[in-house]
Amino acid sequence: MGFLEELKALFPPGRVLTREAALAPYESDALTAYRRRPLAVVLPERKKEVVEAVRLCHRHGVPFVARGSGTSLSGGSLPVEGGIVLALNRMNRILRLDPRAKIAVVEPGVVNLEVSRQAAPYGLYYAPDPSSQPISTLGGNVAFNSGGAHCLKYGMTAGHVLGLEVVTPTGEVVRLGGESLEGVGPDLAGFFVGTEGLLGVALEITLRLLPRPEAYHTLLAAYGSLEAAGNAVSQVIRSGLLPGAMEIMDRLAIEAAEAAVGAGYPQAEVLLIVELEGPKEEVEEEAKLLAQVIEESGALEVRIAQSEAERQAIWKGRKAAFSAVGRLSPDYIVQDGVVPRSRLGEALKEIGRLSQEYGLRVANVFHAGDGNLHPLVLYDGKKPGELERAEELAGEILRLCVRLGGSLTGEHGIGVEKKAYMPEMFAPEDLLAMERVKEALDPRGLANRGKVLPEGVVDPRLEGAHG
Amino acid sequence: MAEVRPTSPLEVQEAVRLHPRLRPKGAGTKPALSAPREGEVVLDLSGLRGLLQYEPEEFVFTAYAGTPVKEVEEALRAHGQYLPFHPPLAGRGATLGGTVAAGLSGPMRERFGGLRDFLLGVRFVDGEGRLVRGGGQVVKNAAGFPFHRLMVGSLGAFGIMVELSFKVFPYPRATRTLRVALGNLAGALAALERLRGLPLDLLALDLIPPATLEIRLGGFPESLEGRLKRLRELLGREGEALLEDEAHWEGVRDLSFLEGSPIWVKVPSTPARIPALEGLPLGPRRYLSGGELLYAGVDPEGLRALRGAGLPHLVLKGAEEALFPPPPPAFFGKVKAALDPRGRLPLG
Ligand SMILES: Cc1cc2nc3c(=O)[nH]c(=O)nc-3n(C[C@H](O)[C@H](O)[C@H](O)COP(=O)(O)OP(=O)(O)OC[C@H]3O[C@@H](n4cnc5c(N)ncnc54)[C@H](O)[C@@H]3O)c2cc1C
C-alpha cells in the first residue's frame, strides 16, 4: 500500500482531501504571494489521528505542515511540495476551563477569542490578542508566539502557555510544562512556543487566564507628525506609566480604517491610542498623569472614551486596519520588524524615504509601546515587477530594523518570507544551533520543511570543527 | 577541587573545550545545583560580571551572566525601575545566570509574571564551545528558536550563559502590605482563591500556613489607601498593615524563613494542590504568587515524602539529587544531544 492509501485508511471517508478543487483553499496562507499545492489535506478531529498521521509521514518520509486558520502573514502554513497539510480547525474543543485554577486546556484548533469568550462569565480572559483573534487558532498562536496590542505589559503568547502536549516529528508524544505558573527543570514548553511548527505539532495547550481588568481608560490623541506621536510615546514611558497598550496609525492607515469600519476618528496625520488598565483607583491616578503628559506632548486633539462603546469604537478602527488597507490597494505585504522604542522616529523617517525611492505607498500601523512596526507595503500584483519591488522594499525595512538593534519579526514569524534575512540577525553559529536542534528532533526534516532556517547556513568549516 | 574562573566569553569557550565535565556556578547561593559532582570542574562565573547596556527608556538591560542581581537592581533603581519577577536570594549574592539556570522567581512575580516572562535574550556557550545567541534585546521579538527560554530552569544543561537581556518595568511609587490571619487553612485557602480571581493587581499574594495571608499592593500613594480599604472589606478583616514593608519582603525573597532548615526546595504548586502538600512533613514554608509557588525547608524525611508523592521539585540546598522528576527524554534528551553532544554539562 502506498502512502496515500495508508493515510486514507487512517481516516473516515471525506477527511482526506486529494482532489484539486478541495486542495485549492489550502494552497496558501494570508501571504497569498506564495502558493503551493499539497499532496493531500487531512482533517483530524482527535489527537490520535494527528499522531498516527505524523507517524505515517515519518515512516514514509513525507513532509507535513500543521495549519490552523491559515492567517499566517509570513508563509508559515504554506504547504510543502509533495507533503500533506494537517488542517487542525476541527480540533476546536475547550477541554477544560478551570476558573479557580485560572487555566484553560484547549485543542490546537480553538480560536483565540473563543477562550476569552468562554472565560468571561468568570471575570477572566486570555491576554494575548493578535488582531486576528476572531479567526486565528491557538496552535498557530503557539507556533508563532503571537502578540497583539498588549505585549509590553503582558508579554507574548509564550508567557501565557503553561503546558503543551506535542507530537514530535518522529511521532513521539511528550508533555512539556504543566498546569502551575511555575515549573522545575528546563522550560521546554516555553522553548517550543515560537518554533513555528518545526519541532512538532501541538496537540493540547494549557493556557493561563487573567482576571479581566476592572477599569480601562482609553485615550485617542491626534498629532501632526509621526515624530510628534513617537515623542509622546517616549514621554509616557519616561513618566513611569505602564499602559496596557500604545498604538500608532498614520494617515493612510486612518483613511483605510475609516473607509472600512467608520470608526469616527479625527482627521489627522497620525493617531496615538493609549490605554491604561487596572484597579479603578489606580487607573484614576494614572489618568491624571497621562492627561498631563499628553497635554505637554503637543497633541492637536484628544478624546477619551466615556463608555465601553466608545472604547470599542476606538479599537475597532485599529483592529481593522490591516484588512482595511486592502481597500486602498489590490495587494499588500505586512512587515513586522521591531526597533528599540527610542529609534522609532528614525525608522519611520527611513521607511518614508524608502517608500519614495521605490515608488510604493507604505501605510504604518504599529505597536508603539514595544517598537513593533507594521509597515504595509502596497502594491498591485497585476503590474509586472511590482511584487518584486514590494518585496525588495520590505526586505530593506527588515534590514533597517536589524541595523537599529531590533528584530526581523515581533509576532508574525519568519516563515518562508523572512528566512533569507535570518543571517542578517543571527550569526552562523546561532543558525547552526537551531539546525542542530531541528535535526535532533526531526532527522528526516519533515515538520514544516523549508521554513525559518535559511538554506545553506551550515558552514562546512563549522561543521568540521566539531566533528 | 579544580576550578576555572573565566573573565570573558572567550575564556568560557576555552574552558568548555578543555574540560570533559563542567559545573557552572554563579555565586553559589543554590549549592545543591552548583556544587561539583565527582569528576566535574567548577566553572565559576563570578568573574564575568557587569552591566553591558541599559537604556531605561527601552525597559531593557543586558549584562554578563555572572553579574549579581543586586548590582543590576541598584542600577535599575536609580531610574525607578526593577525586575518584576523579584529574583530570590539577591541579598545573598545570587547572579543573573544562576537565577535563570535555577529558574527562580520571588514573591512579586504575582503582578506581572515570573522569570520566563522577563527574559528576552541570551548568549551562551554550548557544550561544544560555540557561542550561540537566542532571542534579542528588544521587548518584543519572535525571530528564530527561543534559546533564551530554553535556559530558564536548565541548570546549565544546554550551555553556559555568558550574557542575558531582560525586560524591566517602572517600580511602583509606593507599596503597602496587609497581613491577615484567617483562622484555619480552609479559610485561608478560600480567601486566597477569591483574591486570585479578582482584578486587584496585587504585587504579592502569599500564604503562610496554616492561615495567614500577606498581600502587597503597589501604585500611586493616593490610590493605595482606597485599595487597602477595599481589600479589608473583601476579606472582612482589619488585619495588620505594614507601611514600611521593603525590608520585610527583602527577607522573604532571600528565603530567610528557611534559615535553619537542612534542605531547601522549590515546589511548583497550585491552590488545589496545597491541602495535599500540607499533609506532608514539610518544615518552614511559604506559598508565593497566589499559591503557585512553594519554597519549603525540609529534612531528609520531608524530601522523601515529596518524592514519594510524585511531586515535582527542585532542591536549592542540602541534597545531591537536585531535580525531580528528570526532564522528559523524548524532547529534552534530543535538544541536549544537539547542544551538548559530549555530555560536558550537567543533567541528562
Ligand atoms: C488581519 C490579520 C491580522 C493579524 N494580526 C496579528 C497580530 O496582531 N499579532 C500576531 O501575532 N499575528 C497577527 N496576524 C498573523 C496570524 O494571525 C498569527 O500568526 C496567528 O497566530 C496564526 O494563526 P493560524 O491559526 O491562522 O495559524 P496558521 O497560519 O494556520 O499557521 C501559522 C503557523 O503555525 C503552525 N501551526 C499551526 N498549528 C500548529 C500546531 N497545532 N502545532 C504546531 N504548529 C502549528 C503552522 O505550521 C504555521 O507555521 C494577523 C494576521 C492577519 C491576517
Side-chain angles (χ1 to χ4, degrees):
Chain A
M1 223 173 18
F3 171 76
L4 270 184
E5 287 70 41
E6 277 191 63
L7 188 66
K8 282 180 178 158
L10 288 178
F11 290 87
R15 292 215 271 116
V16 177
L17 316 176
T18 50
R19 288 173 40 214
E20 293 222 350
L23 297 180
Y26 298 92
E27 278 178 9
S28 82
D29 56 26
L31 179 62
T32 51
Y34 295 86
R35 288 186 177 280
R36 220 168 275 150
R37 166 104 10 126
L39 177 69
V41 172
V42 302
L43 308 170
E45 291 178 358
R46 293 280 180 275
K47 277 196 250 190
K48 190 166 156 278
E49 294 175 345
V50 180
V51 175
E52 284 176 354
V54 166
R55 286 182 181 161
L56 187 68
C57 285
H58 177 60
R59 236 181 314 123
H60 288 264
V62 172
F64 59 89
V65 178
R67 179 183 164 113
S69 296
T71 65
S72 158
L73 293 165
S74 56
S77 35
L78 181 74
V80 178
E81 199 77 57
I84 66 163
V85 170
L86 297 162
L88 301 169
N89 297 85
R90 293 188 182 197
M91 294 183 56
N92 59 1
R93 278 157 301 193
I94 294 182
L95 301 171
R96 186 150 70 88
L97 196 147
D98 183 343
R100 291 170 77 197
K102 294 199 293 183
I103 59 168
V105 181
V106 305
E107 291 186 334
V110 169
V111 164
N112 175 305
L113 192 59
E114 194 53 29
V115 179
S116 290
R117 217 174 260 150
Q118 300 289 334
Y122 309 102
L124 301 172
Y125 79 119
Y126 176 64
D129 61 341
S131 298
S132 56
Q133 73 180 151
I135 34 170
S136 68
T137 67
L138 283 152
N141 292 177
V142 163
F144 275 5
N145 191 16
S146 292
H150 295 83
C151 289
L152 178 65
K153 187 164 178 178
Y154 296 100
M156 302 163 68
T157 297
H160 301 267
V161 171
L162 304 181
L164 285 166
E165 188 176 359
V166 167
V167 55
T168 70
T170 54
E172 288 175 90
V173 177
V174 287
R175 281 205 165 265
L176 312 174
E179 295 196 348
S180 170
L181 294 176
E182 284 284 326
V184 289
D187 183 6
L188 300 172
F191 178 61
F192 186 87
V193 178
T195 49
E196 303 197 22
L198 269 69
L199 304 183
V201 180
L203 300 171
E204 197 179 290
I205 308 164
T206 303
L207 304 169
R208 81 168 176 198
L209 303 174
L210 300 179
R212 262 204 106 66
E214 178 182 38
Y216 293 97
H217 176 84
T218 311
L219 175 149
L220 182 72
Y223 291 89
S225 70
L226 277 168
E227 203 183 350
N231 287 339
V233 171
S234 294
Q235 283 162 267
V236 170
I237 294 287
R238 249 179 276 139
S239 76
L241 286 171
L242 181 60
M246 282 195 279
E247 301 282 303
I248 288 182
M249 299 168 75
D250 72 2
R251 177 174 279 286
L252 212 46
I254 300 166
E255 272 171 26
E258 272 308 308
V261 298
Y265 286 156
Q267 285 294 312
E269 279 307 308
V270 186
L271 288 180
L272 168 66
I273 302 172
V274 183
E275 186 163 273
L276 304 169
E277 52 184 68
K280 61 180 189 315
E281 300 94 335
E282 201 60 33
V283 171
E284 273 165 28
E285 292 302 322
E286 289 184 352
K288 288 184 207 159
L289 179 58
L290 180 65
Q292 197 184 323
V293 172
I294 294 293
E295 195 188 311
E296 284 163 15
S297 73
L300 305 174
E301 186 181 338
V302 179
R303 286 187 198 169
I304 289 160
Q306 304 296 338
S307 64
E308 180 59 21
E310 286 183 33
R311 171 175 176 252
Q312 289 305 334
I314 291 176
W315 279 111
K316 196 170 168 195
R318 165 60 188 88
K319 294 236 168 184
F322 281 10
S323 42
V325 165
R327 296 176 170 239
L328 302 182
S329 167
D331 303 287
Y332 64 90
I333 297 175
V334 188
Q335 268 317 353
D336 174 43
V338 183
V339 295
R341 197 169 25 234
S342 60
R343 316 212 48 184
L344 273 172
E346 206 175 334
L348 291 163
K349 207 174 202 178
E350 180 64 9
I351 291 171
R353 195 192 64 72
L354 288 166
S355 160
Q356 297 260 310
E357 185 185 320
Y358 281 81
L360 293 171
R361 289 181 298 167
V362 179
N364 284 293
V365 187
F366 55 96
H367 307 304
D370 39 36
N372 188 188
L373 296 164
H374 284 321
L376 297 125
V377 180
L378 313 190
Y379 70 98
D380 182 349
K382 287 198 266 327
K383 293 193 184 147
E386 211 163 89
L387 165 64
E388 290 70 23
R389 224 156 11 106
E391 284 186 327
E392 250 177 70
L393 168 52
E396 284 303 317
I397 295 174
L398 290 180
R399 288 203 184 89
L400 170 71
C401 292
V402 174
R403 207 161 60 233
L404 294 177
S407 169
L408 293 172
T409 172
E411 51 186 26
H412 296 174
I414 298 294
V416 275
E417 187 206 20
K418 304 183 199 81
K419 67 177 182 167
Y421 298 95
M422 285 288 274
E424 307 263 341
M425 180 163 169
F426 293 104
E429 296 216 333
D430 308 337
L431 296 170
L432 186 65
M434 296 179 207
E435 291 266 4
R436 290 171 65 88
V437 168
K438 167 72 170 161
E439 205 184 302
L441 278 157
D442 185 8
R444 305 186 78 171
L446 304 178
N448 221 357
R449 173 184 286 177
K451 313 291 169 67
V452 184
L453 301 168
E455 269 117 56
V457 221
V458 183
D459 181 337
R461 282 166 305 158
L462 291 175
E463 273 296 276
H466 69 78
Chain B
M1 138 186 66
E3 189 158 320
V4 192
R5 191 168 178 274
T7 55
S8 71
L10 194 67
E11 285 175 20
V12 175
Q13 290 182 278
E14 282 166 2
V16 168
R17 291 195 173 118
L18 199 63
H19 299 285
R21 289 186 59 215
L22 290 147
R23 171 76 45 175
K25 178 176 132 182
T29 59
K30 280 80 68 181
L33 308 176
S34 54
R37 314 305 196 253
E38 186 70 37
E40 290 179 345
V41 166
V42 171
L43 189 62
D44 173 358
L45 290 151
S46 60
L48 197 64
R49 70 195 272 175
L51 207 51
L52 293 162
Q53 203 188 335
Y54 170 39
E55 311 255 358
E57 208 179 293
E58 300 293 344
F59 285 169
V60 173
F61 75 84
T62 299
Y64 280 129
T67 314
V69 170
K70 212 172 165 187
E71 200 172 301
V72 173
E73 288 187 335
E74 275 158 23
L76 296 177
R77 205 156 244 238
H79 294 273
Q81 299 186 340
Y82 76 128
L83 276 166
F85 65 92
H86 211 196
L89 302 171
R92 302 192 196 256
T95 63
L96 292 174
T99 300
V100 172
L104 301 184
S105 303
M108 281 204 282
R109 105 179 282 305
E110 172 64 9
R111 174 84 188 269
F112 294 112
L115 167 59
R116 69 199 299 256
D117 299 88
F118 287 88
L119 184 60
L120 299 175
V122 66
R123 286 207 304 155
F124 67 97
V125 174
D126 73 7
E128 293 292 73
R130 288 180 294 234
L131 190 59
V132 176
R133 176 157 93 94
Q137 301 186 342
V138 276
V139 293
K140 193 169 177 191
N141 168 36
F145 289 3
F147 287 123
H148 53 300
R149 287 197 291 274
L150 186 63
M151 297 297 140
V152 176
S154 65
L155 306 179
F158 308 109
I160 313 294
M161 288 170 258
V162 295
E163 195 185 296
L164 294 158
S165 299
F166 287 90
K167 177 163 93 169
V168 300
F169 276 161
Y171 193 81
R173 285 157 205 245
T175 60
R176 297 273 186 282
T177 296
L178 184 66
R179 183 183 292 146
V180 192
L182 286 136
N184 56 35
L185 180 66
L189 275 178
L192 180 83
E193 286 197 7
R194 180 129 177 273
L195 295 182
R196 273 167 55 93
L198 294 172
L200 299 168
D201 270 16
L202 306 176
L203 277 185
L205 174 57
D206 288 13
L207 166 68
I208 303 108
T212 302
L213 293 185
E214 281 187 4
I215 306 159
R216 193 177 196 193
L217 289 168
F220 281 79
E222 297 82 358
S223 69
L224 283 181
E225 287 316 315
R227 291 172 64 195
L228 199 56
K229 182 161 165 273
R230 210 150 40 113
L231 210 47
R232 286 176 156 141
E233 281 163 13
L234 275 168
L235 291 165
R237 323 237 159 173
E238 264 308 290
E240 171 197 359
L242 316 181
L243 303 184
E244 303 290 333
D245 60 356
E246 195 66 37
H248 171 68
W249 288 102
E250 285 308 295
V252 173
R253 82 145 151 173
D254 279 343
L255 310 181
S256 50
F257 55 99
L258 300 184
E259 213 67 72
S261 294
I263 302 172
W264 297 17
V265 289
K266 167 191 166 173
V267 186
S269 172
T270 60
R273 203 182 272 172
I274 292 176
L277 281 163
E278 285 302 295
L280 301 177
L282 308 177
R285 63 201 175 277
R286 175 184 272 261
Y287 296 86
L288 277 51
S289 192
E292 300 271 345
L293 168 59
L294 166 66
Y295 286 110
V298 295
D299 58 17
E301 188 209 340
L303 192 61
R304 270 194 302 276
L306 270 174
R307 250 156 238 204
L311 293 164
H313 58 269
L314 178 73
V315 178
L316 304 181
K317 182 185 162 192
E320 265 276 311
E321 207 49 51
L323 180 65
F324 177 90
F331 196 93
F332 167 82
K334 286 174 182 164
V335 180
K336 169 85 174 166
L339 297 173
D340 180 26
R342 296 171 212 238
R344 284 186 164 113
L345 304 171
L347 262 197

